[in-house]
Amino acid sequence: MDVIELLPRLHLLRFPVGQAYIWSDDAELTLIDAGTIGYGRAIADAITALGRVPQDVRRVVLTHFHEDHVGAAGEFAALSGAEVLAHSLDAPFVRGERRGPPPRFEEWELPIHAEAARQLPEGPPLPPSSVIEVTDGDVLGFGGGARVVHVPGHTDGSIALFLPAEGVLFTGDTVASVDGVPTPGVFNLDGRQLLASVRRLADLGAEVACFGHGDPVLGGAAAALRAIAGAPGQPTGTPASK
């Protein structure tokens, strides 16, 4: 797992498949997504290497239920005591109560998904002991008032997080980045709904956009999102999103 400083308050955690983010406020930390199964201890060690302790993480906010985003959430919450948050529509899958619906794959997505799946650890994740449900418009206690933005399409309960005071947007898998260029996410339940969600994110006016897969955009993010808001996902030859 690689740990990359993006901004003084923002670090990226890059896993073999997917990535997560650590947002730092003065008194506490927030983890956005949690990587794949087995990385709970590695996340805790990364936080220690940054001069903090795992118990500084007050919350883990999950952008959706896919295993490359929730896999280590239960492990890390058990280590740190952090609360776990997810949208009410995806929360039953995060809790392990039901199996989430599979994507409706485009033909060209199938080999990309197969390659990504080969890199995922086997076995079910440890479900968090509890999940706090959030919904569109909720304001969370970090980053000067992070706002939950419901962005269905990738999953029914996908969310983004927008920090208006900081100009930072976490898109989850609604948007990805391939070779540094943003693109609508792939492996979706509803591609048209996803594009509507991309348009909503473009209208937020973010300066920085952090994706579930691929390099973040650290300037002019709103314009980059507007440029793709009407474009369908295209085959890339690499696993861009899950």
Side-chain angles (χ1 to χ4, degrees):
M1 183 185 75
D2 297 325
V3 182
I4 302 166
E5 181 178 303
L6 302 175
L7 300 170
R9 292 185 180 272
L10 178 62
H11 286 78
L12 180 153
L13 306 180
R14 182 163 282 157
F15 306 95
V17 177
Q19 50 208 31
Y21 297 89
I22 299 171
W23 179 266
S24 174
D25 290 307
D26 293 337
E28 63 185 43
L29 305 176
T30 298
L31 180 66
I32 296 97
D33 287 326
T36 54
I37 303 164
Y39 276 90
R41 172 53 63 185
I43 294 170
D45 291 344
I47 289 165
T48 301
L50 293 175
R52 306 292 289 263
V53 295
Q55 291 74 21
D56 286 342
V57 179
R58 182 69 57 85
R59 64 192 65 80
V60 181
V61 188
L62 302 174
T63 61
H64 62 290
F65 74 84
H66 286 164
E67 61 267 43
D68 53 330
H69 293 258
V70 308
E75 302 166 36
F76 180 75
L79 288 169
S80 65
E83 58 188 23
V84 177
L85 290 73
H87 191 275
S88 56
L89 293 176
D90 273 17
F93 314 132
V94 174
R95 288 192 290 258
E97 296 170 354
R98 302 200 304 273
R99 188 183 181 117
R104 297 187 177 102
F105 292 108
E106 301 289 341
E107 191 70 26
W108 58 266
E109 293 177 325
L110 292 172
I112 304 172
H113 182 266
E115 174 59 30
R118 278 193 287 270
Q119 300 179 59
L120 290 173
E122 294 184 1
L126 172 70
S129 59
S130 64
V131 177
I132 297 172
E133 297 186 5
V134 299
T135 193
D136 188 62
D138 285 352
V139 176
L140 308 182
F142 75 96
R147 179 156 61 92
V148 174
V149 184
H150 185 208
V151 284
H154 187 64
T155 69
D156 289 336
S158 286
I159 60 172
L161 297 168
F162 182 47
L163 283 56
E166 304 286 345
V168 174
L169 174 66
F170 299 93
T171 72
D173 281 2
T174 300
V175 183
S177 172
V178 179
D179 297 329
V181 179
T183 181
V186 296
F187 310 160
N188 303 308
L189 282 178
D190 187 324
R192 289 188 178 183
Q193 195 174 46
L194 178 115
L195 289 179
S197 291
V198 174
R199 289 191 287 272
R200 185 179 186 196
L201 294 180
D203 289 342
L204 294 174
E207 184 65 19
V208 173
C210 299
F211 313 119
H213 300 259
D215 292 336
V217 171
L218 299 180
L225 293 179
R226 282 194 293 271
I228 66 165
Q234 296 295 322
T236 64
T238 58
S241 177
K242 191 174 191 315

